[in-house]
Amino acid sequence: MRPAELRTKIFLDSGDPAETRDALDMLGFLDGQTTNPTLVARNPYARQRFEKGDKFTEKEIYDFYKQVVTDISRLIPDGSVSIEVHADAATTAARMLAQGREMSGWIPNAHIKYPTTAAGLEAAAKSVKAGMRVNMTLCFTQAQAAAVYAATAGAGKGAVFVSPFVGRLDDIGQNGMDLIGNVVRMYGSGDGHVEVLAASIRTLEQFMQSLALGADIVTAPFSVLEAWAKAGKPLPDKGSSYDAGSLQRIPYEEFDLSQPWQQFDIVHELTDKGIERFGADWQALIG
Ligand code: E4P
């Protein structure tokens, strides 16, 4: 059962429908699931083929991804399932949009993941105008989240997610939880058309802090959802604190959300590295 006071939607971060089923059984509810190329590559069937050196063709890998999200979608038909486009540094907005259109047709409850780059934002702007739903991934700064808001202005509630990555910021010594808090605060003065999806969550503490900060959604690996379930699905106490240890704090910045998205400085090295890593994990499956 879903805790009555729980305001944040709970997503599973996984490319394996068997985990969707287990998470549903364990929690008694699940609001959605996020996938990405790395998570699909970690799916047991994909891993088995990889270990045997039995590579997929380009068509086979897309068919496999389609099957994975179709299976997930059937398990959580009222939830959201994020599907990520394949992109490298040179992929154009038109190419991303073409993939997004195709993937949107795979299941009725898709959110299409585009990277938070100029090409990704252009694809997202066109996608929401065409009635598609998007999840802007690899977000590492408040300026990128501001650009997502501006690029998708006019979209309906629930049509746009932004995914700030907590764990990967922690990996470079910055307190990723601050980014969640800053984006939630910045959007507080907006019209609510972008939902904050706390991503790259690795610990129960980060999961709990996402609830405490009022993230609209948190996505977490099965192990973190299991730890939460085992603890009795607690909600954060009022005034609960988060120990950022020696991580550098990320200060809040003032942005004008009504300015054109092209005017925000959206470059971040982790966005570029993330695109490379997702691309490499995907390509490793293809022969
Ligand atoms: C989800 O949408 C993200 O792709 C995922 O949370 C990234 O997690 P990672 O940083 O642990 O790879």
Side-chain angles (χ1 to χ4, degrees):
M1 278 293 276
R2 183 192 183 83
E5 301 297 312
L6 177 63
R7 297 281 165 264
T8 300
K9 284 175 262 181
I10 308 298
F11 284 18
L12 171 68
D13 201 17
S14 166
D16 182 4
E19 288 194 334
T20 319
R21 207 172 302 114
D22 290 347
L24 265 173
D25 287 348
M26 179 175 71
L27 298 176
F29 75 98
L30 188 65
D31 299 310
Q33 184 156 338
T34 44
T35 69
N36 67 38
T38 303
L39 293 171
V40 173
R42 283 194 203 137
N43 171 289
Y45 175 73
R47 223 173 31 208
Q48 198 186 41
R49 278 188 65 158
F50 178 79
E51 277 157 14
K52 282 199 292 191
D54 180 12
K55 303 259 180 162
F56 290 83
T57 63
E58 191 102 18
K59 179 176 180 326
E60 276 177 336
I61 192 69
Y62 276 100
D63 286 348
F64 176 64
Y65 198 3
K66 182 177 177 180
Q67 189 56 53
V68 163
V69 296
T70 301
D71 290 347
I72 295 168
S73 172
R74 286 194 183 125
L75 289 163
I76 45 170
D78 298 328
S80 149
V81 183
S82 285
I83 315 173
E84 187 155 339
V85 300
H86 173 57
D88 61 25
T91 307
T92 62
R95 180 71 204 110
M96 286 190 206
L97 182 60
Q99 288 183 70
R101 279 188 198 280
E102 159 92 28
M103 290 166 157
S104 266
W106 286 355
I107 52 174
N109 51 347
H111 274 83
I112 301 302
K113 286 172 91 176
Y114 295 117
T116 310
T117 58
L121 285 161
E122 199 182 317
K126 291 188 173 141
S127 296
V128 293
K129 283 207 177 83
M132 289 157 57
R133 306 193 301 178
V134 302
N135 174 355
M136 301 308 292
T137 191
L138 292 165
C139 171
F140 294 97
T141 66
Q142 205 191 313
Q144 287 178 318
V148 169
Y149 184 98
T152 58
K157 175 100 183 120
V160 184
F161 301 157
V162 66
S163 292
F165 274 38
V166 174
R168 294 193 197 186
L169 279 170
D170 286 10
D171 290 343
I172 60 161
Q174 296 183 19
N175 181 26
M177 287 315 316
D178 282 339
L179 178 60
I180 302 297
N182 293 343
V183 178
V184 168
R185 177 175 161 194
M186 174 172 72
Y187 287 172
S189 61
D191 61 9
H193 80 272
V194 186
E195 295 188 32
V196 181
L197 189 163
S200 189
I201 296 293
R202 283 131 188 213
T203 66
L204 182 58
E205 290 70 27
Q206 292 169 339
F207 178 90
M208 293 299 294
Q209 184 63 1
S210 302
L211 307 190
L213 291 170
D216 299 287
I217 306 160
V218 58
T219 191
F222 187 84
S223 57
V224 172
L225 296 185
E226 187 174 41
W228 184 56
K230 280 193 175 145
K233 293 184 269 183
L235 300 183
D237 299 328
K238 281 218 162 42
S240 66
S241 63
Y242 176 77
D243 182 7
S246 59
L247 295 172
Q248 198 188 325
R249 305 304 305 264
I250 304 174
Y252 182 78
E253 296 169 86
E254 293 294 343
F255 287 112
D256 174 4
L257 293 174
S258 65
Q259 81 186 33
W261 68 262
Q262 292 86 347
Q263 286 179 18
F264 294 99
D265 176 7
I266 54 161
V267 176
H268 196 280
E269 58 157 341
L270 289 183
T271 305
D272 299 339
K273 277 194 187 152
I275 291 171
E276 254 174 56
R277 196 164 114 193
F278 284 148
D281 286 343
W282 189 247
Q283 286 304 336
L285 297 172
I286 303 169

